[in-house]
Amino acid sequence: DYIYRFAPTDVVQGRAQARIMWDDNITHVIGVTAQDAWGEELRDTAKARFIELGGTWWPQQIDYSTEAAEFSTEASTLATEVQSAIDAHGNDSVGILMIGFEEVAQFFTDATAYPVLSTVNWYGSDGTALSGALLNSATAADFAISVGYPNTIYKPSEEATSKFEAVRQNNIDVLGREPDPYSFACYDIVWAYALCLMAVDTYDADAVKEVLPTVSGSMLGALGWINLDEAGDL
C-alpha cells in the first residue's frame, strides 16, 4: 500500500493515485468506479491530475452499481477496452484504476475469465487497502498479486502524541491488530464534538458548527493538531 501524509481527503488521495501511476510510466488509464459520490469524486480528481501530468484517460470508463453481486458484464467490457488500449499503446503503458470497496474480491474473481486483464497494472484506493475480502479469497488475492494492485491509504502525522499511542494500543488490545488509519480520525471526531457540546452547553447543531473551527484548532488529537480549512476539512 502507498501512504499519503497530508490529509484524509479525496483531493489529496486522487492526486497521489495519479502520481503513483505516472511514476510507474503508465500513460493511459482506464477507470473502473463504484457509482457513488465518493467513487466518482475520487476518480475525477485522479483523472484531472493524471491528465495534468501528461497522461491520457481512456474515454470508455467502467462504472458499476454498488449493489451489484457479480461483475461478469463489467469484466467483459473492461477486457475489450484493455485489449484496444494495449493494441494502440502496449501493455507497459496501460493501467487500470479501480475505485471501490470489498466488492473488489468478486470483481477480481470475475476478471480471471479474461487473461488480458492480468497483463496490465491495476491500482486501488483506501476503499480496498487492507481489504479483508480480498485477503480471504485465494482467487482474488492471486489476481491482485499478479497485477500489482498498490492501494493508497492515509497515514497520521508522524508527530506522535500520547493519544495516538493510546488509540493504537487499545486497538491492538481489543482487536489483536494494528488499527486502520481512520481509527485515529474517528477518535478525534468524537472528542471534537464532545468538546464543542461542552463549550456551547446545548444539543444544537448550529451552535456546534459555529464553535467547531475554534475548538478543534486548539485541540491536539491522535492525528496531531486539528486545524480545519474553510470547507471544514482537516
Side-chain angles (χ1 to χ4, degrees), residues 91-125:
N91 297 68
D92 293 341
S93 63
V94 177
I96 297 171
L97 176 61
M98 181 170 184
I99 299 173
F101 295 102
E102 299 290 77
E103 72 276 1
V104 66
Q106 185 60 51
F107 199 108
F108 279 6
T109 299
D110 293 336
T112 59
Y114 303 93
V116 69
L117 295 180
S118 63
T119 65
V120 296
N121 290 338
W122 290 59
Y123 300 83
S125 69

Side-chain angles (χ1 to χ4, degrees), residues 49-116:
R49 177 56 175 158
F50 191 72
I51 293 172
E52 185 179 273
L53 289 169
T56 298
W57 202 270
W58 201 249
Q60 180 62 47
Q61 299 181 148
I62 310 300
D63 297 325
Y64 64 87
S65 169
T66 55
E67 298 178 0
E70 63 87 31
F71 305 95
S72 55
T73 299
E74 289 83 356
S76 176
T77 302
L78 180 60
T80 299
E81 297 303 322
V82 168
Q83 188 61 65
S84 296
I86 290 174
D87 291 343
H89 307 287
N91 297 68
D92 293 341
S93 63
V94 177
I96 297 171
L97 176 61
M98 181 170 184
I99 299 173
F101 295 102
E102 299 290 77
E103 72 276 1
V104 66
Q106 185 60 51
F107 199 108
F108 279 6
T109 299
D110 293 336
T112 59
Y114 303 93
V116 69

Side-chain angles (χ1 to χ4, degrees), residues 28-201:
H28 293 75
V29 170
I30 301 173
V32 180
T33 313
Q35 290 179 304
D36 60 16
W38 167 79
E40 291 169 359
E41 180 182 358
L42 184 50
R43 176 202 61 205
D44 290 347
T45 302
K47 176 181 177 180
R49 177 56 175 158
F50 191 72
I51 293 172
E52 185 179 273
L53 289 169
T56 298
W57 202 270
W58 201 249
Q60 180 62 47
Q61 299 181 148
I62 310 300
D63 297 325
Y64 64 87
S65 169
T66 55
E67 298 178 0
E70 63 87 31
F71 305 95
S72 55
T73 299
E74 289 83 356
S76 176
T77 302
L78 180 60
T80 299
E81 297 303 322
V82 168
Q83 188 61 65
S84 296
I86 290 174
D87 291 343
H89 307 287
N91 297 68
D92 293 341
S93 63
V94 177
I96 297 171
L97 176 61
M98 181 170 184
I99 299 173
F101 295 102
E102 299 290 77
E103 72 276 1
V104 66
Q106 185 60 51
F107 199 108
F108 279 6
T109 299
D110 293 336
T112 59
Y114 303 93
V116 69
L117 295 180
S118 63
T119 65
V120 296
N121 290 338
W122 290 59
Y123 300 83
S125 69
D126 60 347
T128 43
L130 309 174
S131 168
L134 185 58
L135 293 173
N136 291 331
S137 169
T139 299
D142 287 344
F143 182 86
I145 291 170
S146 73
V147 297
Y149 201 53
N151 287 253
T152 45
I153 188 72
Y154 172 66
K155 183 181 186 301
S157 170
E158 289 191 354
E159 58 172 63
T161 67
S162 60
K163 294 177 183 177
F164 177 96
E165 188 55 34
V167 174
R168 174 181 177 273
Q169 191 58 53
N170 185 70
N171 199 95
I172 293 172
D173 293 344
V174 175
L175 300 179
R177 60 174 173 79
E178 290 286 337
D180 179 293
Y182 296 106
S183 300
F184 302 101
C186 290
Y187 176 90
D188 288 347
I189 287 168
V190 172
W191 270 106
Y193 281 132
L195 292 172
C196 286
L197 288 170
M198 292 169 64
V200 299
D201 196 26

Side-chain angles (χ1 to χ4, degrees), residues 189-218:
I189 287 168
V190 172
W191 270 106
Y193 281 132
L195 292 172
C196 286
L197 288 170
M198 292 169 64
V200 299
D201 196 26
T202 178
Y203 289 104
D204 184 304
D206 289 332
V208 168
K209 179 181 178 181
E210 184 69 25
V211 301
L212 179 58
T214 302
V215 170
S216 63
S218 61

